[in-house]
Amino acid sequence: LAVVLTLLGTSVAAMLWRSYTMQRRAHAARMAVQAQKEMQGRMAHPPTTKWATERTYCTFLSHFKAEAGSDARYMRDLLQQMCHCPVYLDAANLTDLRLLFSEGVHQSDTMIVLATRDYLTRPFCLLELWEAHRQGVPVLVFPIAGRGYDAGHARRRLNSLETELRAHDPDGHQLIVRHLKRQGVHDFGEFTRALLRLMGLDHLHEEPSPSPS
């Protein structure tokens, strides 16, 4: 009889626990759906302002298409709705790659970097940052959640940028070097230091390397 009662009690406890767990999961799912609906409602009617633009675009969205193309399109639509001002997105506005800087970066009040894992490996992304530096365009770094951007890794990548480009993207390296030479810049270090400042990485402390075991 004792064994039967023990088994019965265990079965009842297990059933109660399963019921409790299912209720908690159902509650969490309802809360997630409610939060998503609230967010969609806010994004459908976001706060707005009238951007007093000094140039053609209120901002230039700098991004690596393979990692943040859909995010960039969404942000462009949202910012244009919020600011009542054009936003430059090269996939939509660019018809001639040579005009990327003169009619894109140079004509934007600000630049938003959609930071992802390999953003700093793309030569044209790097040159967009450089042109923002030359034109005094303020840069906001906006890491995209779940896309692998890490500030420490980004700093190390920029500190070894020329070596990495020579080894893995010699055509991209030459593209940047030619662009800099046309502007009278022959020190690649000047380029990387400017990018470190724009990305907010120049004062980031390196984590100590792990000591050998």
Side-chain angles (χ1 to χ4, degrees):
L1 180 61
V3 173
V4 172
L5 290 174
T6 301
L7 291 174
L8 181 60
T10 302
S11 299
V12 170
M15 290 176 61
L16 290 173
W17 176 252
R18 284 197 297 270
S19 177
Y20 170 72
T21 302
M22 291 175 63
Q23 288 179 13
R24 287 199 62 180
R25 288 176 179 173
H27 176 71
R30 287 195 299 271
M31 294 299 293
V33 170
Q34 181 179 346
Q36 184 177 14
K37 287 181 178 178
E38 290 176 355
M39 177 62 71
Q40 290 173 344
R42 287 196 294 270
M43 291 300 98
H45 304 285
T48 61
T49 187
K50 181 64 177 177
W51 184 277
T53 182
E54 298 178 1
R55 304 178 185 180
T56 305
Y57 304 98
C58 61
T59 196
F60 179 105
L61 295 178
S62 181
H63 67 293
F64 177 23
K65 292 182 185 65
E67 294 180 339
S70 60
D71 301 277
R73 291 189 294 273
Y74 173 77
M75 186 172 286
R76 176 200 59 196
D77 294 344
L78 184 61
L79 288 174
Q80 288 183 157
Q81 184 180 355
M82 294 174 68
C83 298
H84 298 287
C85 182
V87 170
Y88 191 94
L89 179 62
D90 60 3
N93 299 90
L94 187 62
T95 57
D96 186 338
L97 199 57
R98 293 171 298 180
L99 305 179
L100 176 65
F101 308 128
S102 62
E103 295 190 4
V105 179
H106 300 180
Q107 297 303 318
S108 300
D109 290 342
T110 62
M111 175 182 285
I112 297 177
V113 170
L114 305 189
T116 53
R117 185 188 63 184
D118 290 331
Y119 170 82
L120 292 172
T121 67
R122 313 308 299 167
F124 273 97
C125 292
L126 298 170
L127 287 173
E128 288 166 5
L129 282 169
W130 171 254
E131 288 300 315
H133 160 71
R134 290 185 66 244
Q135 297 296 317
V137 176
V139 173
L140 171 67
V141 179
F142 189 88
I144 302 298
R147 305 301 169 83
Y149 179 77
D150 176 78
H153 178 67
R155 186 180 194 273
R156 290 189 292 273
R157 175 168 276 170
L158 285 177
N159 278 330
S160 60
L161 181 61
E162 186 169 21
T163 301
E164 291 294 319
L165 285 174
R166 285 181 183 273
H168 303 294
D169 188 3
D171 291 338
H173 175 258
Q174 285 303 309
L175 174 71
I176 292 173
V177 168
R178 287 195 299 270
H179 187 86
L180 295 177
K181 284 183 177 179
R182 285 195 295 269
Q183 298 171 345
V185 177
H186 301 277
D187 178 12
F188 202 90
E190 180 180 345
F191 178 71
T192 56
R193 288 190 294 272
L195 268 54
L196 281 165
R197 286 194 299 272
L198 286 174
M199 294 293 292
L201 302 172
D202 51 332
H203 297 303
L204 184 69
H205 294 296
E206 291 277 10
E207 295 183 2
S209 301
S211 56
S213 56

